[in-house]
Amino acid sequence: MADNIENADDAIARMGYRTSHSGRRAEIGAARRAKSRNTILTAAFECYGREDGRIVRIEDVCKAAGVARGTFYNHFDDLEQLRYHLLEEMTGEFDRAVHHMFSALENAAEQSAVAIRYYLHAAEKNPAWGWAMIHSSAPGHTFGELVWHNSLVTIRRGVDEGLFTIPTAEIGRDILMGSVTAAMVSITRGTTPADYPELISTHVLMGFGMSAQAARELSYRALPALPAIAHDTVVIASMPALGDIGD
């Protein structure tokens, strides 16, 4: 099983994607052994994971974690760095699992539809995760640097394959990220129909130049179950369980 996961990671890397399994993984794994750091990250998740969690101070995180301000600075330089690592915890293994599914999908259009639906259904199943994703994201790296990069790779391939008729992949990435962020707000507020992720996916693909019929057909296909990988590396205990999303 481990060999299969490693092979899948290699295949993802060859496609141009980044995963939490590469690069800084050893560094992150070592840092996770610091109990106080994990406590701070979990407290930050609780602070940002509320509808009113847009404005969070270091004092708020320290109070929720039960640690002194000095302990915070032992692990993070400021709130920006904390948000960066929080997003990595919330998206690293999740995004890796999403991209493990890509080799089984038809093309970049279906991959885009599936990724949109996974993220939005995850927010539906766990509103705290959705709010934390929204509130801890920064302009220019919505949902974190990893997701920002990987979405561009998929869309660029769709443009190169002639599936998307937008002028540049960057335009597509901005359409996708803006739409998914706004949709996540609506979903976490509980004001959307059950198929809202599919509706958003349909209209994002139409924004990429696909016909309404083709976009809808891709967006309403059965959603594959997300692979249940690396649960033990996720610090945030109340993340949606990998494998619980999809059919």
Side-chain angles (χ1 to χ4, degrees), residues 148-149 151-152 155 166 168-178 208:
W148 186 256
H149 169 83
S151 64
L152 185 64
I155 296 168
I166 46 178
T168 68
E170 287 75 13
I171 290 174
R173 186 223 21 233
D174 292 347
I175 291 172
L176 184 149
M177 287 298 189
F208 290 173

Side-chain angles (χ1 to χ4, degrees), residues 29-46:
R32 281 178 174 147
R33 289 192 289 271
K35 183 177 180 180
S36 59
R37 179 183 184 274
N38 294 354
T39 300
I40 292 169
L41 282 168
T42 302
F45 177 83
E46 293 170 358

Side-chain angles (χ1 to χ4, degrees), residues 93-175:
E93 294 301 325
F94 188 86
D95 201 67
R96 181 177 170 224
V98 170
H99 286 87
H100 273 219
M101 288 301 307
F102 275 19
S103 62
L105 302 177
E106 183 178 332
N107 52 39
E110 185 178 13
Q111 290 165 356
S112 296
V114 165
I116 291 168
R117 294 167 66 198
Y118 277 146
Y119 273 86
L120 293 182
H121 279 296
E124 178 187 27
K125 288 177 177 291
N126 192 329
W129 182 80
W131 283 121
M133 289 279 284
I134 294 161
H135 293 318
S136 59
S137 290
H141 279 152
T142 306
F143 299 159
E145 187 175 358
L146 184 73
V147 178
W148 186 256
H149 169 83
N150 287 347
S151 64
L152 185 64
V153 172
T154 303
I155 296 168
R156 182 175 288 128
R157 196 169 64 255
V159 172
D160 292 343
E161 293 171 356
L163 296 167
F164 304 149
T165 59
I166 46 178
T168 68
E170 287 75 13
I171 290 174
R173 186 223 21 233
D174 292 347
I175 291 172

